[in-house]
PDB file of all heavy atoms in Angstrom:
ATOM      1  N   ARG A   1      20.225 -10.607 -68.621  1.00 48.00           N
ATOM      2  CA  ARG A   1      18.855 -10.125 -68.788  1.00 48.00           C
ATOM      3  C   ARG A   1      18.528  -8.945 -67.882  1.00 48.00           C
ATOM      4  O   ARG A   1      17.807  -8.034 -68.280  1.00 48.00           O
ATOM      5  CB  ARG A   1      17.859 -11.253 -68.511  1.00 48.00           C
ATOM      6  CG  ARG A   1      17.891 -12.378 -69.532  1.00 48.00           C
ATOM      7  CD  ARG A   1      16.797 -13.377 -69.268  1.00 48.00           C
ATOM      8  NE  ARG A   1      15.473 -12.786 -69.407  1.00 48.00           N
ATOM      9  CZ  ARG A   1      14.346 -13.385 -69.024  1.00 48.00           C
ATOM     10  NH1 ARG A   1      14.396 -14.572 -68.458  1.00 48.00           N
ATOM     11  NH2 ARG A   1      13.177 -12.795 -69.198  1.00 48.00           N
ATOM     12  N   HIS A   2      19.044  -8.955 -66.639  1.00 39.00           N
ATOM     13  CA  HIS A   2      18.588  -7.981 -65.659  1.00 39.00           C
ATOM     14  C   HIS A   2      19.671  -7.030 -65.148  1.00 39.00           C
ATOM     15  O   HIS A   2      19.352  -6.065 -64.455  1.00 39.00           O
ATOM     16  CB  HIS A   2      17.954  -8.703 -64.470  1.00 39.00           C
ATOM     17  CG  HIS A   2      16.839  -9.630 -64.857  1.00 39.00           C
ATOM     18  ND1 HIS A   2      15.664  -9.179 -65.432  1.00 39.00           N
ATOM     19  CD2 HIS A   2      16.733 -10.982 -64.778  1.00 39.00           C
ATOM     20  CE1 HIS A   2      14.864 -10.216 -65.674  1.00 39.00           C
ATOM     21  NE2 HIS A   2      15.493 -11.319 -65.300  1.00 39.00           N
ATOM     22  N   ALA A   3      20.932  -7.302 -65.451  1.00 40.00           N
ATOM     23  CA  ALA A   3      22.014  -6.411 -65.000  1.00 40.00           C
ATOM     24  C   ALA A   3      23.094  -6.372 -66.074  1.00 40.00           C
ATOM     25  O   ALA A   3      24.202  -6.857 -65.874  1.00 40.00           O
ATOM     26  CB  ALA A   3      22.581  -6.891 -63.663  1.00 40.00           C
ATOM     27  N   LYS A   4      22.754  -5.785 -67.210  1.00 49.00           N
ATOM     28  CA  LYS A   4      23.675  -5.801 -68.342  1.00 49.00           C
ATOM     29  C   LYS A   4      24.992  -5.109 -68.022  1.00 49.00           C
ATOM     30  O   LYS A   4      26.042  -5.507 -68.518  1.00 49.00           O
ATOM     31  CB  LYS A   4      23.020  -5.148 -69.564  1.00 49.00           C
ATOM     32  CG  LYS A   4      23.829  -5.362 -70.842  1.00 49.00           C
ATOM     33  CD  LYS A   4      23.083  -4.893 -72.076  1.00 49.00           C
ATOM     34  CE  LYS A   4      23.921  -5.143 -73.326  1.00 49.00           C
ATOM     35  NZ  LYS A   4      23.207  -4.742 -74.551  1.00 49.00           N
ATOM     36  N   TRP A   5      24.935  -4.062 -67.164  1.00 38.00           N
ATOM     37  CA  TRP A   5      26.171  -3.370 -66.793  1.00 38.00           C
ATOM     38  C   TRP A   5      27.156  -4.329 -66.130  1.00 38.00           C
ATOM     39  O   TRP A   5      28.373  -4.254 -66.346  1.00 38.00           O
ATOM     40  CB  TRP A   5      25.863  -2.204 -65.850  1.00 38.00           C
ATOM     41  CG  TRP A   5      25.333  -2.635 -64.509  1.00 38.00           C
ATOM     42  CD1 TRP A   5      24.036  -2.836 -64.152  1.00 38.00           C
ATOM     43  CD2 TRP A   5      26.120  -2.955 -63.351  1.00 38.00           C
ATOM     44  NE1 TRP A   5      23.949  -3.259 -62.845  1.00 38.00           N
ATOM     45  CE2 TRP A   5      25.212  -3.337 -62.324  1.00 38.00           C
ATOM     46  CE3 TRP A   5      27.486  -2.962 -63.075  1.00 38.00           C
ATOM     47  CZ2 TRP A   5      25.630  -3.714 -61.049  1.00 38.00           C
ATOM     48  CZ3 TRP A   5      27.917  -3.342 -61.809  1.00 38.00           C
ATOM     49  CH2 TRP A   5      26.993  -3.707 -60.805  1.00 38.00           C
ATOM     50  N   LEU A   6      26.607  -5.277 -65.325  1.00 43.00           N
ATOM     51  CA  LEU A   6      27.466  -6.255 -64.667  1.00 43.00           C
ATOM     52  C   LEU A   6      28.018  -7.254 -65.678  1.00 43.00           C
ATOM     53  O   LEU A   6      29.165  -7.692 -65.577  1.00 43.00           O
ATOM     54  CB  LEU A   6      26.666  -6.979 -63.578  1.00 43.00           C
ATOM     55  CG  LEU A   6      27.440  -7.957 -62.685  1.00 43.00           C
ATOM     56  CD1 LEU A   6      28.585  -7.234 -61.984  1.00 43.00           C
ATOM     57  CD2 LEU A   6      26.495  -8.580 -61.647  1.00 43.00           C
ATOM     58  N   ALA A   7      27.200  -7.599 -66.679  1.00 48.00           N
ATOM     59  CA  ALA A   7      27.662  -8.498 -67.739  1.00 48.00           C
ATOM     60  C   ALA A   7      28.797  -7.854 -68.526  1.00 48.00           C
ATOM     61  O   ALA A   7      29.772  -8.520 -68.891  1.00 48.00           O
ATOM     62  CB  ALA A   7      26.501  -8.853 -68.663  1.00 48.00           C
ATOM     63  N   ILE A   8      28.683  -6.535 -68.787  1.00 53.00           N
ATOM     64  CA  ILE A   8      29.731  -5.828 -69.518  1.00 53.00           C
ATOM     65  C   ILE A   8      31.011  -5.755 -68.684  1.00 53.00           C
ATOM     66  O   ILE A   8      32.124  -5.918 -69.202  1.00 53.00           O
ATOM     67  CB  ILE A   8      29.238  -4.427 -69.921  1.00 53.00           C
ATOM     68  CG1 ILE A   8      28.107  -4.552 -70.950  1.00 53.00           C
ATOM     69  CG2 ILE A   8      30.384  -3.586 -70.488  1.00 53.00           C
ATOM     70  CD1 ILE A   8      27.442  -3.232 -71.295  1.00 53.00           C
ATOM     71  N   LEU A   9      30.857  -5.525 -67.367  1.00 50.00           N
ATOM     72  CA  LEU A   9      32.014  -5.520 -66.474  1.00 50.00           C
ATOM     73  C   LEU A   9      32.701  -6.882 -66.491  1.00 50.00           C
ATOM     74  O   LEU A   9      33.931  -6.984 -66.546  1.00 50.00           O
ATOM     75  CB  LEU A   9      31.566  -5.161 -65.053  1.00 50.00           C
ATOM     76  CG  LEU A   9      32.669  -5.066 -63.994  1.00 50.00           C
ATOM     77  CD1 LEU A   9      33.653  -3.956 -64.350  1.00 50.00           C
ATOM     78  CD2 LEU A   9      32.063  -4.821 -62.613  1.00 50.00           C
ATOM     79  N   GLY A  10      31.873  -7.933 -66.454  1.00 55.00           N
ATOM     80  CA  GLY A  10      32.432  -9.284 -66.534  1.00 55.00           C
ATOM     81  C   GLY A  10      33.134  -9.527 -67.856  1.00 55.00           C
ATOM     82  O   GLY A  10      34.144 -10.234 -67.918  1.00 55.00           O
ATOM     83  N   ASP A  11      32.606  -8.925 -68.921  1.00 59.00           N
ATOM     84  CA  ASP A  11      33.228  -9.065 -70.235  1.00 59.00           C
ATOM     85  C   ASP A  11      34.611  -8.444 -70.252  1.00 59.00           C
ATOM     86  O   ASP A  11      35.536  -8.974 -70.872  1.00 59.00           O
ATOM     87  CB  ASP A  11      32.334  -8.412 -71.290  1.00 59.00           C
ATOM     88  CG  ASP A  11      32.900  -8.564 -72.694  1.00 59.00           C
ATOM     89  OD1 ASP A  11      33.086  -9.716 -73.136  1.00 59.00           O
ATOM     90  OD2 ASP A  11      33.162  -7.533 -73.344  1.00 59.00           O
ATOM     91  N   TRP A  12      34.779  -7.315 -69.583  1.00 61.00           N
ATOM     92  CA  TRP A  12      36.111  -6.688 -69.483  1.00 61.00           C
ATOM     93  C   TRP A  12      37.094  -7.618 -68.767  1.00 61.00           C
ATOM     94  O   TRP A  12      38.231  -7.793 -69.201  1.00 61.00           O
ATOM     95  CB  TRP A  12      36.015  -5.363 -68.735  1.00 61.00           C
ATOM     96  CG  TRP A  12      35.365  -4.262 -69.500  1.00 61.00           C
ATOM     97  CD1 TRP A  12      35.134  -4.220 -70.839  1.00 61.00           C
ATOM     98  CD2 TRP A  12      34.834  -3.043 -68.968  1.00 61.00           C
ATOM     99  NE1 TRP A  12      34.496  -3.059 -71.181  1.00 61.00           N
ATOM    100  CE2 TRP A  12      34.304  -2.309 -70.058  1.00 61.00           C
ATOM    101  CE3 TRP A  12      34.751  -2.494 -67.689  1.00 61.00           C
ATOM    102  CZ2 TRP A  12      33.707  -1.060 -69.905  1.00 61.00           C
ATOM    103  CZ3 TRP A  12      34.165  -1.240 -67.519  1.00 61.00           C
ATOM    104  CH2 TRP A  12      33.649  -0.541 -68.615  1.00 61.00           C
ATOM    105  N   ALA A  13      36.629  -8.218 -67.658  1.00 63.00           N
ATOM    106  CA  ALA A  13      37.487  -9.137 -66.918  1.00 63.00           C
ATOM    107  C   ALA A  13      37.832 -10.364 -67.771  1.00 63.00           C
ATOM    108  O   ALA A  13      38.961 -10.856 -67.747  1.00 63.00           O
ATOM    109  CB  ALA A  13      36.779  -9.574 -65.629  1.00 63.00           C
ATOM    110  N   TYR A  14      36.857 -10.809 -68.542  1.00 64.00           N
ATOM    111  CA  TYR A  14      37.073 -11.961 -69.417  1.00 64.00           C
ATOM    112  C   TYR A  14      38.102 -11.634 -70.497  1.00 64.00           C
ATOM    113  O   TYR A  14      38.976 -12.448 -70.808  1.00 64.00           O
ATOM    114  CB  TYR A  14      35.739 -12.360 -70.044  1.00 64.00           C
ATOM    115  CG  TYR A  14      35.809 -13.561 -70.953  1.00 64.00           C
ATOM    116  CD1 TYR A  14      36.111 -14.817 -70.440  1.00 64.00           C
ATOM    117  CD2 TYR A  14      35.563 -13.453 -72.320  1.00 64.00           C
ATOM    118  CE1 TYR A  14      36.168 -15.930 -71.268  1.00 64.00           C
ATOM    119  CE2 TYR A  14      35.622 -14.553 -73.146  1.00 64.00           C
ATOM    120  CZ  TYR A  14      35.918 -15.785 -72.615  1.00 64.00           C
ATOM    121  OH  TYR A  14      35.988 -16.879 -73.426  1.00 64.00           O
ATOM    122  N   ALA A  15      38.001 -10.419 -71.058  1.00 67.00           N
ATOM    123  CA  ALA A  15      38.974  -9.994 -72.078  1.00 67.00           C
ATOM    124  C   ALA A  15      40.390  -9.959 -71.498  1.00 67.00           C
ATOM    125  O   ALA A  15      41.354 -10.335 -72.166  1.00 67.00           O
ATOM    126  CB  ALA A  15      38.583  -8.622 -72.624  1.00 67.00           C
ATOM    127  N   ALA A  16      40.498  -9.510 -70.243  1.00 69.00           N
ATOM    128  CA  ALA A  16      41.811  -9.476 -69.590  1.00 69.00           C
ATOM    129  C   ALA A  16      42.362 -10.896 -69.422  1.00 69.00           C
ATOM    130  O   ALA A  16      43.564 -11.140 -69.629  1.00 69.00           O
ATOM    131  CB  ALA A  16      41.696  -8.784 -68.230  1.00 69.00           C
ATOM    132  N   ALA A  17      41.466 -11.840 -69.064  1.00 69.00           N
ATOM    133  CA  ALA A  17      41.898 -13.234 -68.919  1.00 69.00           C
ATOM    134  C   ALA A  17      42.358 -13.809 -70.256  1.00 69.00           C
ATOM    135  O   ALA A  17      43.322 -14.576 -70.316  1.00 69.00           O
ATOM    136  CB  ALA A  17      40.749 -14.070 -68.354  1.00 69.00           C
ATOM    137  N   LEU A  18      41.690 -13.415 -71.347  1.00 69.00           N
ATOM    138  CA  LEU A  18      42.079 -13.900 -72.673  1.00 69.00           C
ATOM    139  C   LEU A  18      43.446 -13.344 -73.089  1.00 69.00           C
ATOM    140  O   LEU A  18      44.238 -14.036 -73.732  1.00 69.00           O
ATOM    141  CB  LEU A  18      41.013 -13.523 -73.704  1.00 69.00           C
ATOM    142  CG  LEU A  18      39.692 -14.282 -73.622  1.00 69.00           C
ATOM    143  CD1 LEU A  18      38.739 -13.794 -74.702  1.00 69.00           C
ATOM    144  CD2 LEU A  18      39.910 -15.781 -73.742  1.00 69.00           C
ATOM    145  N   LYS A  19      43.720 -12.084 -72.729  1.00 75.00           N
ATOM    146  CA  LYS A  19      45.040 -11.503 -73.035  1.00 75.00           C
ATOM    147  C   LYS A  19      46.130 -12.264 -72.288  1.00 75.00           C
ATOM    148  O   LYS A  19      47.197 -12.551 -72.841  1.00 75.00           O
ATOM    149  CB  LYS A  19      45.054 -10.029 -72.662  1.00 75.00           C
ATOM    150  CG  LYS A  19      44.247  -9.140 -73.604  1.00 75.00           C
ATOM    151  CD  LYS A  19      44.331  -7.681 -73.196  1.00 75.00           C
ATOM    152  CE  LYS A  19      43.512  -6.813 -74.152  1.00 75.00           C
ATOM    153  NZ  LYS A  19      43.554  -5.366 -73.758  1.00 75.00           N
ATOM    154  N   LEU A  20      45.852 -12.570 -71.016  1.00 76.00           N
ATOM    155  CA  LEU A  20      46.802 -13.355 -70.233  1.00 76.00           C
ATOM    156  C   LEU A  20      46.980 -14.735 -70.856  1.00 76.00           C
ATOM    157  O   LEU A  20      48.095 -15.266 -70.928  1.00 76.00           O
ATOM    158  CB  LEU A  20      46.293 -13.483 -68.795  1.00 76.00           C
ATOM    159  CG  LEU A  20      47.181 -14.261 -67.819  1.00 76.00           C
ATOM    160  CD1 LEU A  20      48.538 -13.583 -67.677  1.00 76.00           C
ATOM    161  CD2 LEU A  20      46.505 -14.364 -66.457  1.00 76.00           C
ATOM    162  N   ASN A  21      45.884 -15.314 -71.339  1.00 75.00           N
ATOM    163  CA  ASN A  21      45.926 -16.617 -71.988  1.00 75.00           C
ATOM    164  C   ASN A  21      46.795 -16.576 -73.247  1.00 75.00           C
ATOM    165  O   ASN A  21      47.557 -17.511 -73.537  1.00 75.00           O
ATOM    166  CB  ASN A  21      44.503 -17.051 -72.332  1.00 75.00           C
ATOM    167  CG  ASN A  21      44.421 -18.467 -72.870  1.00 75.00           C
ATOM    168  OD1 ASN A  21      44.661 -19.428 -72.139  1.00 75.00           O
ATOM    169  ND2 ASN A  21      44.091 -18.606 -74.140  1.00 75.00           N
ATOM    170  N   TYR A  22      46.688 -15.455 -74.003  1.00 79.00           N
ATOM    171  CA  TYR A  22      47.464 -15.294 -75.233  1.00 79.00           C
ATOM    172  C   TYR A  22      48.958 -15.248 -74.928  1.00 79.00           C
ATOM    173  O   TYR A  22      49.774 -15.901 -75.602  1.00 79.00           O
ATOM    174  CB  TYR A  22      47.020 -14.008 -75.932  1.00 79.00           C
ATOM    175  CG  TYR A  22      47.743 -13.724 -77.234  1.00 79.00           C
ATOM    176  CD1 TYR A  22      47.387 -14.376 -78.408  1.00 79.00           C
ATOM    177  CD2 TYR A  22      48.783 -12.804 -77.283  1.00 79.00           C
ATOM    178  CE1 TYR A  22      48.038 -14.129 -79.596  1.00 79.00           C
ATOM    179  CE2 TYR A  22      49.454 -12.543 -78.464  1.00 79.00           C
ATOM    180  CZ  TYR A  22      49.080 -13.205 -79.619  1.00 79.00           C
ATOM    181  OH  TYR A  22      49.742 -12.955 -80.787  1.00 79.00           O
ATOM    182  N   ILE A  23      49.343 -14.480 -73.898  1.00 82.00           N
ATOM    183  CA  ILE A  23      50.753 -14.379 -73.504  1.00 82.00           C
ATOM    184  C   ILE A  23      51.264 -15.733 -73.020  1.00 82.00           C
ATOM    185  O   ILE A  23      52.355 -16.186 -73.392  1.00 82.00           O
ATOM    186  CB  ILE A  23      50.921 -13.310 -72.405  1.00 82.00           C
ATOM    187  CG1 ILE A  23      50.556 -11.928 -72.959  1.00 82.00           C
ATOM    188  CG2 ILE A  23      52.347 -13.311 -71.866  1.00 82.00           C
ATOM    189  CD1 ILE A  23      50.466 -10.846 -71.899  1.00 82.00           C
ATOM    190  N   PHE A  24      50.440 -16.383 -72.195  1.00 76.00           N
ATOM    191  CA  PHE A  24      50.798 -17.681 -71.632  1.00 76.00           C
ATOM    192  C   PHE A  24      51.063 -18.706 -72.733  1.00 76.00           C
ATOM    193  O   PHE A  24      52.061 -19.443 -72.700  1.00 76.00           O
ATOM    194  CB  PHE A  24      49.667 -18.150 -70.715  1.00 76.00           C
ATOM    195  CG  PHE A  24      49.847 -19.531 -70.156  1.00 76.00           C
ATOM    196  CD1 PHE A  24      50.744 -19.765 -69.122  1.00 76.00           C
ATOM    197  CD2 PHE A  24      49.112 -20.603 -70.652  1.00 76.00           C
ATOM    198  CE1 PHE A  24      50.909 -21.043 -68.609  1.00 76.00           C
ATOM    199  CE2 PHE A  24      49.270 -21.877 -70.148  1.00 76.00           C
ATOM    200  CZ  PHE A  24      50.169 -22.102 -69.117  1.00 76.00           C
ATOM    201  N   ASN A  25      50.186 -18.745 -73.736  1.00 78.00           N
ATOM    202  CA  ASN A  25      50.368 -19.719 -74.809  1.00 78.00           C
ATOM    203  C   ASN A  25      51.473 -19.325 -75.776  1.00 78.00           C
ATOM    204  O   ASN A  25      52.032 -20.186 -76.451  1.00 78.00           O
ATOM    205  CB  ASN A  25      49.038 -19.931 -75.545  1.00 78.00           C
ATOM    206  CG  ASN A  25      48.179 -20.980 -74.852  1.00 78.00           C
ATOM    207  OD1 ASN A  25      48.451 -22.175 -74.930  1.00 78.00           O
ATOM    208  ND2 ASN A  25      47.156 -20.524 -74.126  1.00 78.00           N
ATOM    209  N   GLY A  26      51.780 -18.026 -75.854  1.00 84.00           N
ATOM    210  CA  GLY A  26      52.947 -17.610 -76.628  1.00 84.00           C
ATOM    211  C   GLY A  26      54.221 -18.194 -76.046  1.00 84.00           C
ATOM    212  O   GLY A  26      55.122 -18.640 -76.773  1.00 84.00           O
ATOM    213  N   ILE A  27      54.299 -18.196 -74.717  1.00 87.00           N
ATOM    214  CA  ILE A  27      55.450 -18.791 -74.039  1.00 87.00           C
ATOM    215  C   ILE A  27      55.485 -20.302 -74.268  1.00 87.00           C
ATOM    216  O   ILE A  27      56.538 -20.886 -74.526  1.00 87.00           O
ATOM    217  CB  ILE A  27      55.400 -18.468 -72.528  1.00 87.00           C
ATOM    218  CG1 ILE A  27      55.525 -16.957 -72.311  1.00 87.00           C
ATOM    219  CG2 ILE A  27      56.496 -19.209 -71.777  1.00 87.00           C
ATOM    220  CD1 ILE A  27      55.297 -16.518 -70.872  1.00 87.00           C
ATOM    221  N   ARG A  28      54.306 -20.943 -74.202  1.00 82.00           N
ATOM    222  CA  ARG A  28      54.238 -22.390 -74.433  1.00 82.00           C
ATOM    223  C   ARG A  28      54.692 -22.745 -75.852  1.00 82.00           C
ATOM    224  O   ARG A  28      55.401 -23.733 -76.049  1.00 82.00           O
ATOM    225  CB  ARG A  28      52.813 -22.899 -74.197  1.00 82.00           C
ATOM    226  CG  ARG A  28      52.416 -22.968 -72.733  1.00 82.00           C
ATOM    227  CD  ARG A  28      50.990 -23.482 -72.558  1.00 82.00           C
ATOM    228  NE  ARG A  28      50.844 -24.858 -73.022  1.00 82.00           N
ATOM    229  CZ  ARG A  28      51.083 -25.934 -72.281  1.00 82.00           C
ATOM    230  NH1 ARG A  28      51.492 -25.785 -71.030  1.00 82.00           N
ATOM    231  NH2 ARG A  28      50.894 -27.137 -72.776  1.00 82.00           N
ATOM    232  N   ARG A  29      54.281 -21.925 -76.834  1.00 82.00           N
ATOM    233  CA  ARG A  29      54.711 -22.194 -78.220  1.00 82.00           C
ATOM    234  C   ARG A  29      56.219 -22.076 -78.349  1.00 82.00           C
ATOM    235  O   ARG A  29      56.870 -22.868 -79.043  1.00 82.00           O
ATOM    236  CB  ARG A  29      54.026 -21.215 -79.180  1.00 82.00           C
ATOM    237  CG  ARG A  29      52.593 -21.565 -79.509  1.00 82.00           C
ATOM    238  CD  ARG A  29      52.086 -20.789 -80.717  1.00 82.00           C
ATOM    239  NE  ARG A  29      52.188 -19.343 -80.523  1.00 82.00           N
ATOM    240  CZ  ARG A  29      51.247 -18.603 -79.945  1.00 82.00           C
ATOM    241  NH1 ARG A  29      50.132 -19.174 -79.501  1.00 82.00           N
ATOM    242  NH2 ARG A  29      51.402 -17.300 -79.817  1.00 82.00           N
ATOM    243  N   ALA A  30      56.796 -21.078 -77.688  1.00 84.00           N
ATOM    244  CA  ALA A  30      58.245 -20.877 -77.739  1.00 84.00           C
ATOM    245  C   ALA A  30      58.987 -22.068 -77.134  1.00 84.00           C
ATOM    246  O   ALA A  30      60.117 -22.372 -77.528  1.00 84.00           O
ATOM    247  CB  ALA A  30      58.624 -19.588 -77.009  1.00 84.00           C
TER     248      ALA A  30
END
């Protein structure tokens, strides 16, 4: 509500965590 720029920055960090999650689970599937 009050610091959208910070929310967007957090969204970038979250996207990076999801990419790491994707790689991690690719290894688990293998």
Side-chain angles (χ1 to χ4, degrees):
R1 293 186 63 191
H2 305 296
K4 190 172 181 178
W5 66 270
L6 186 58
I8 293 173
L9 182 62
D11 182 59
W12 288 344
Y14 181 66
L18 289 180
K19 287 181 180 179
L20 181 61
N21 187 68
Y22 180 79
I23 296 170
F24 175 76
N25 274 286
I27 296 172
R28 286 180 64 87
R29 282 195 303 273

